[in-house]
């Protein structure tokens, strides 16, 4: 999947791509055709930098509902030739999730598109999961035939069927098919489910990882082979195993590995030494951040940042002015665990990160959290800049929480648009802080209170601002 191209934040498309509340507010006042074109672009070209972390589907579905938008653009996206050429779920997942929400909002044509896609689309399993929580039993039973037809009745096909049934996020359709007394597919689905359960049980009985009796060298070698042979970074589980078997006699080997070992064993040794509070651990982590291996350098910086000791905070004050990974990690550690005396270092780290890495860098998250935790009021301008410009809705939520703590204008400003944000935690923040003197706030609070698709945390915050009589008005 290519990195998304994000339009400027001052445009309607840019606002909608970011999932900002202002995007919805502007779309509702823009010419309808312009708003629908921008909305279709967002759904067909997923704008999220990390689609596992960021939400957009409910946000876009609500706007389709408000605009009474046709679904032709989504249909073209799902059933075009690209579905054969690019079957990755990241290409169609957002569109399928939007259709699922629209089905919940009473758009039967959305559910019809999902059923059709289950029968012929590459990402059919996602569409089936969307239907699993929205369709009745009768409609789901009709999908057994097209789904089972995807798997030839050969050993390879049965293995693929077993994997599909075992990996289903929503198992309801599979159990319906297995228990259907009149379906010719019931026996085959039951067998697949039983094989899946047996395979899981067998894997539990035959683990491939470290076993009792393994020595420190064997654990380190297991971590090395995992990375070099299979590309799996196993340093974290290896470090947990080391905690169980390593003794004082193994310290010299672990120190040598932490200085000069292969990548995975080196990281396992570094993590173990840090977790066991070895007196040399912080020095070794600092050295590792300057190595030529980006895996070792980045992971060492993250390990230093996550060190919870008082000694690490003291060392971070020394390292915070250092260039490169070590200084940046020290600034993030101080943001998470520093004291009021560290506000200047945290502010400098925040400004440097925004200047050098931009507003979408995930490393901004702890700096934004620390800005709010330490109450760095003078950081409000740069945090507002992150809020407006970042393409990451996750980071925008962090910026909003920081502004709620440091910006006296937040309640009458950004908190209002937060009520329409794509992220539930940001909508919850808006519900707790937005000034109700703005008539739009009361109206939106009522809508959120009445929307069955809204998350419980948001509705709890809404109920804290309006009474039952107001919600029903």
């Amino acid at each position: 999947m290519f990195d998304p191209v994000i339009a400027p934040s001052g445009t309607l498309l840019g606002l909608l791509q970011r999932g900002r509340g202002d995007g919805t507010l502007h779309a509702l006042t823009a010419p309808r055709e312009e708003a629908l074109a921008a909305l279709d672009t967002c759904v067909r070209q997923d704008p999220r930098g990390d689609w596992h972390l960021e939400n957009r589907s409910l946000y876009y579905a609500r706007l389709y509902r408000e605009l009474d938008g046709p679904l032709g653009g989504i249909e073209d996206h799902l059933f075009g030739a690209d579905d054969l050429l690019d079957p990755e779920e990241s290409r169609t997942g957002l569109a399928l999730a939007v259709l699922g929400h629209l089905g919940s909002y009473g758009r039967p044509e959305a559910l019809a598109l999902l059923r059709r896609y289950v029968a012929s689309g590459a990402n059919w399993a996602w569409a089936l999961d969307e239907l699993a929580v929205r369709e009745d039993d009768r409609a789901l039973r009709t999908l057994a035939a097209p789904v089972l037809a995807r798997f030839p009745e050969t050993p390879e096909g049965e293995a693929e069927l077993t994997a599909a049934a075992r990996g289903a996020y929503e198992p309801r359709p599979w159990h319906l098919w297995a228990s259907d007394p009149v379906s010719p597919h019931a026996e085959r689905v039951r067998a697949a489910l039983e094989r899946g359960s047996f395979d899981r049980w067998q894997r539990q009985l035959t683990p491939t990882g470290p076993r009792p009796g393994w020595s420190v060298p064997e654990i380190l070698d297991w971590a090395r082979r995992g990375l070099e042979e299979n590309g799996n970074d196993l340093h974290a589980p290896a470090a947990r195993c080391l905690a169980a078997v390593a003794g004082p006699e193994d310290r010299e080997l672990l120190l040598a590995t932490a200085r000069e070992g292969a990548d995975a064993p080196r990281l396992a040794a570094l993590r173990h030494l840090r977790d066991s509070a070895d007196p040399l651990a912080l020095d070794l982590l600092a050295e590792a951040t300057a190595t030529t291996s980006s895996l070792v350098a980045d992971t060492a910086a993250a390990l230093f940042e996550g060190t919870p000791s008082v000694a690490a905070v003291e060392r971070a004050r020394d390292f915070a002015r250092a260039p490169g990974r070590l200084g940046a990690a020290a600034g993030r550690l101080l943001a998470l665990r520093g004291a009021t005396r560290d506000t200047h270092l945290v502010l400098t780290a925040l400004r440097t990160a925004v200047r050098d890495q931009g507003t979408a860098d995930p490393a901004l998250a702890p700096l934004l959290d620390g800005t709010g935790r330490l109450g760095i009021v003078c950081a409000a301008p740069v945090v507002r800049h992150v809020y407006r410009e970042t393409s990451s809705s996750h980071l925008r939520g962090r910026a909003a929480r920081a502004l709620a703590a440091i910006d006296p204008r937040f309640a009458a400003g950004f908190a209002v648009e937060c009520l329409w944000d794509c992220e539930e935690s940001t909508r919850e923040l808006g519900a707790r802080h937005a000034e109700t003197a703005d008539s739009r706030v009361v109206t939106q609070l009522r809508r959120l209170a009445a929307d069955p698709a809204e998350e419980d945390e948001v509705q709890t915050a809404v109920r804290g601002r309006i009474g039952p009589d107001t919600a029903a008005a």
Side-chain angles (χ1 to χ4, degrees):
M1 182 178 178
F2 295 104
D3 289 335
V5 177
I6 304 299
S9 62
T11 64
L12 175 59
L13 177 59
L15 289 169
L16 292 178
Q17 287 176 319
R18 288 166 172 80
R20 278 183 56 181
D22 254 7
T24 294
L25 296 174
H26 280 68
L28 294 177
T29 58
R32 182 170 178 271
E33 293 305 315
E34 177 187 345
L36 287 173
L39 180 58
D40 270 353
T41 296
C42 292
V43 176
R44 296 173 62 151
Q45 301 172 21
D46 192 338
R48 295 171 293 179
D50 185 346
W51 62 277
H52 294 96
L53 182 65
E54 299 181 56
N55 297 311
R56 291 292 189 282
S57 57
L58 181 58
Y59 174 84
Y60 293 142
R62 282 172 167 167
L63 192 49
Y64 270 110
R65 181 185 62 170
E66 292 288 338
L67 296 171
D68 192 23
L71 304 182
I74 296 180
E75 181 178 9
D76 292 343
H77 175 64
L78 292 178
F79 297 100
D82 284 347
D83 198 55
L84 300 175
L85 302 174
D86 183 8
E88 291 296 322
E89 61 182 10
S90 58
R91 191 189 76 85
T92 52
L94 177 59
L96 295 171
V98 168
L99 289 177
H101 285 301
L102 288 173
S104 297
Y105 281 138
R107 295 283 297 267
E109 69 272 32
L111 297 179
L113 285 175
L114 287 172
R115 291 193 296 270
R116 180 179 157 200
Y117 192 80
V118 167
S120 63
N123 192 13
W124 63 271
W126 190 314
L128 183 61
D129 286 338
E130 294 292 337
L131 289 170
V133 296
R134 295 176 174 92
E135 284 280 37
D136 57 29
D137 290 355
R138 181 194 59 78
L140 288 175
R141 287 192 179 102
T142 65
L143 298 174
V147 170
L148 271 292
R150 292 176 174 274
F151 304 98
E153 296 189 45
T154 63
E156 295 78 9
E158 295 303 324
E160 292 174 0
L161 175 61
T162 298
R166 184 177 61 236
Y169 187 76
E170 295 288 349
R172 179 181 165 224
W174 298 92
H175 290 290
L176 273 175
W177 302 338
S179 61
D180 189 345
V182 299
S183 171
H185 308 289
E187 183 176 351
R188 192 179 178 201
V189 176
R190 280 197 299 272
L193 291 173
E194 289 170 2
R195 286 193 301 270
S197 298
F198 178 77
D199 290 348
R200 188 178 297 110
W201 173 75
Q202 195 171 43
R203 287 196 303 274
Q204 292 170 346
L205 290 180
T206 56
T208 59
R211 296 172 177 81
W214 275 33
S215 65
V216 167
E218 288 172 316
I219 293 172
L220 294 174
D221 187 60
W222 172 70
R224 179 193 62 77
R225 287 185 285 107
L227 184 61
E228 294 179 359
E229 297 175 8
N230 303 312
N232 297 324
D233 181 7
L234 302 173
H235 83 273
R240 291 193 293 270
C241 294
L242 289 173
V245 304
E249 68 279 6
D250 299 301
R251 182 170 183 263
E252 290 305 317
L253 171 61
L254 290 168
L255 289 174
T257 304
R259 288 190 180 100
E260 299 177 347
D263 286 2
R266 184 177 187 181
L267 290 173
L270 284 167
R271 182 182 283 265
H272 170 73
L273 292 169
R274 184 204 68 168
D275 293 347
S276 58
D278 188 281
L280 293 179
L282 295 176
D283 290 326
L284 291 169
L285 287 172
E287 292 173 13
T289 61
T291 189
T292 56
S293 167
S294 59
L295 174 63
V296 171
D298 290 340
T299 306
L303 288 172
F304 179 80
E305 175 187 338
T307 305
S309 66
V310 174
V313 175
E314 293 295 335
R315 296 299 294 278
R317 290 179 177 128
D318 296 331
F319 294 152
R321 294 179 176 85
R325 290 183 180 90
L326 181 59
R332 295 193 295 270
L333 189 151
L334 292 174
L336 294 169
R337 297 182 178 86
T340 304
R341 60 183 281 200
D342 303 309
T343 55
H344 177 69
L345 294 174
V346 174
L347 178 59
T348 300
L350 174 63
R351 288 171 171 166
T352 301
V354 172
R355 182 194 66 209
D356 294 346
Q357 306 299 327
T359 59
D361 185 4
L364 285 175
L367 296 172
L368 292 167
D369 291 346
T371 298
R373 183 180 71 85
L374 296 171
I376 309 176
V377 175
C378 61
V382 68
V383 178
R384 290 191 205 107
H385 173 72
V386 173
Y387 179 97
R388 292 188 187 97
E389 297 299 328
T390 184
S391 59
S392 166
S393 55
H394 176 70
L395 286 178
R396 184 175 60 254
R398 299 289 187 102
R401 284 195 290 277
L403 288 172
I406 66 174
D407 186 0
R409 297 185 293 170
F410 177 72
F414 287 139
V416 174
E417 74 158 282
C418 284
L419 290 169
W420 285 266
D421 197 87
C422 66
E423 296 291 340
E424 63 179 81
S425 58
T426 308
R427 294 195 298 276
E428 179 186 355
L429 189 74
R432 296 190 185 281
H433 290 274
E435 286 189 356
T436 55
D438 189 326
S439 61
R440 297 174 302 171
V441 170
V442 175
T443 300
Q444 181 64 0
L445 288 173
R446 290 171 179 164
R447 287 176 176 170
L448 294 176
D451 191 338
E454 189 50 82
E455 298 293 336
D456 291 341
E457 292 81 1
V458 178
Q459 294 199 330
T460 298
V462 169
R463 286 193 291 271
R465 300 297 301 280
I466 59 176
D469 294 338
T470 308

